[in-house]
Structures are given as structure tokens and as C-alpha cells.
Amino acid sequence: PFVGSLIGLALSLSTFLFAILPGPAVAALIVGGSVIITGGIHLDGFADTCDGLYGFTTKERALEIMRDSRIGTMAAVGIVILLILKFSLFLSIPQEIIWKYLVLMTAFSRYAQVLACFFSEYARDGDGKGRWFIEYAGLGGLIAGGVFIVALFILLLGVKGLALFIVSLLPVFALIHYIKVKIRGMTGDTIGAINEVAEATVLLFGMILQG
């Protein structure tokens, strides 16, 4: 979460550096910046997860699809919907406070990854890019990250921040549960998907609370 908050601060620079530009242009720069800073690794995981978990398929087939480097229909549709949603939310939140939500969404999404790793087992046999994150997720990291993220939400948004944190946890735990039902654990791809969904969740609920 601490590293996520630094990423959020870096994204916030675009809102100040390009404040003279129209809102849609700033929102597009934020979307592009978020992909560039992370190298699109979480977005790639989200795309693979959309392909692998869509439909009624077996665990083995889902894992095979997620490991395929080719992008499928559901991955393309999922990425388009996700980026349009983020763009719309960036545009809908007032520019004078958008920096707060950039910090919160990137910090919270990393804590969501911690939750996914702590409460799950590795779904694949053998090694993979998510195995060590999942197997070495400990209670200390969960608690330390939780204290940091709650304090950050309250610091930036007060009581509304605490409410936003709590309601944002619900879709995250729902997605974790869904993934565990489908493939009985987590992979690096599904952890990335949880990151992307958590970011959109904070923005969506944040916009509602602001209203």
C-alpha cells in the first residue's frame, strides 16, 4: 500500500502539470500514465483472468487459457470496459480533489492484492509468478498494510474515507471468493485482476460518496 500511494502521487502530478487542458485530456493522461508506470502488468492479468474465468469451464482449462499469451474476445471486451469506466470516473470526480482518489485507489488496490494472497492458496502446480507472493503473505504484512491504508483513507477523506474503505472491501472479497470457487486459489493473473477491480471500485464508490 505504501508503494501504491507513491504511484498515486506520481499520477497526481499529471492533474497539476496538465491542469490547463480540458478534463477529458487529463483523464486520458491519467489512464495512460497508470498503465505506463506499472508496465501494464495488472491490466495484462485482468485480461487473462477475463478470458480464463468467463463461462463454465474446468479449473485446468481456465488455467491453460490464462497462460496463453494470445488475447481472447472476453479479454478485449474486459479491457475496453475497464478503461472506459476508469476514464469516465476520472472525468466525473472534481479535478481539485482527484489527486486524493488517485492516491487512495493505488494504495487500496495494492492492499487488495495483499488480501488476495493472504486468504488464498496458489492455484497452479509448480512455480509461477504469483506463487511466492501467495505463499509468503503473512499476518504481519496484512496488519501493517491495513493500519496504513485505513489511516490514509481517514487522513485524506475523514469519516467518508473510513466508509469508502469498508464498502470498497465488499467487491474485493466477492471477487476473491468467486476466483477461489472457479480455480480453487489465486495466480499472478488473478491477483492483477483484483488490483484493477479494486482501483475501479474506489473510484466508483468515491464518486457516489462525493455526490
Side-chain angles (χ1 to χ4, degrees):
F2 176 72
V3 173
S5 66
L6 296 180
I7 294 174
L9 287 173
L11 289 175
S12 298
L13 289 176
S14 63
T15 66
F16 296 104
L17 293 175
F18 304 105
I20 60 172
L21 297 177
V26 176
L29 288 170
I30 296 173
V31 171
S34 66
V35 175
I36 292 172
I37 287 176
T38 61
I41 186 172
H42 304 115
L43 194 61
D44 178 68
F46 175 80
D48 288 339
T49 301
C50 288
D51 271 342
L53 299 190
Y54 179 75
F56 301 95
T57 186
T58 64
K59 170 188 174 179
E60 291 72 21
R61 178 56 180 156
L63 293 175
E64 180 184 347
I65 292 172
M66 283 192 281
R67 183 153 276 177
D68 193 332
S69 60
R70 293 170 295 182
I71 187 169
T73 301
M74 294 313 301
V77 171
I79 288 175
V80 170
I81 292 174
L82 177 69
L83 294 182
I84 289 176
L85 176 61
K86 283 187 176 182
F87 173 83
S88 302
L89 293 170
F90 288 142
L91 192 57
S92 300
I93 298 173
Q95 286 200 16
E96 60 269 19
I97 60 171
I98 186 65
W99 70 271
K100 295 183 179 181
Y101 287 95
L102 292 174
V103 173
L104 292 177
M105 80 165 194
T106 49
F108 177 78
S109 64
R110 273 62 185 180
Y111 187 61
Q113 293 184 57
V114 174
L115 293 172
C117 291
F118 183 81
F119 290 108
S120 305
E121 296 180 353
Y122 189 59
R124 296 185 185 276
D125 296 325
D127 292 336
K129 59 186 177 183
R131 180 184 185 90
W132 307 115
F133 290 99
I134 295 168
E135 292 194 352
Y136 287 95
L139 183 60
L142 182 75
I143 294 174
V147 170
F148 176 82
I149 197 69
V150 170
L152 188 64
F153 269 74
I154 295 174
L155 176 66
L156 294 183
L157 296 178
V159 176
K160 282 187 176 181
L162 182 59
L164 176 59
F165 172 73
I166 293 172
V167 298
S168 296
L169 285 174
L170 301 179
V172 169
F173 277 115
L175 181 57
I176 291 173
H177 175 72
Y178 174 76
I179 292 171
K180 289 169 70 174
V181 168
K182 295 285 285 188
I183 59 173
R184 297 188 292 279
M186 287 284 156
T187 69
D189 287 326
T190 59
I191 295 171
I194 286 170
N195 179 90
E196 292 296 327
V197 171
E199 287 188 352
T201 296
V202 168
L203 293 173
L204 178 60
F205 287 147
M207 184 190 67
I208 293 172
L209 287 174
Q210 282 298 321

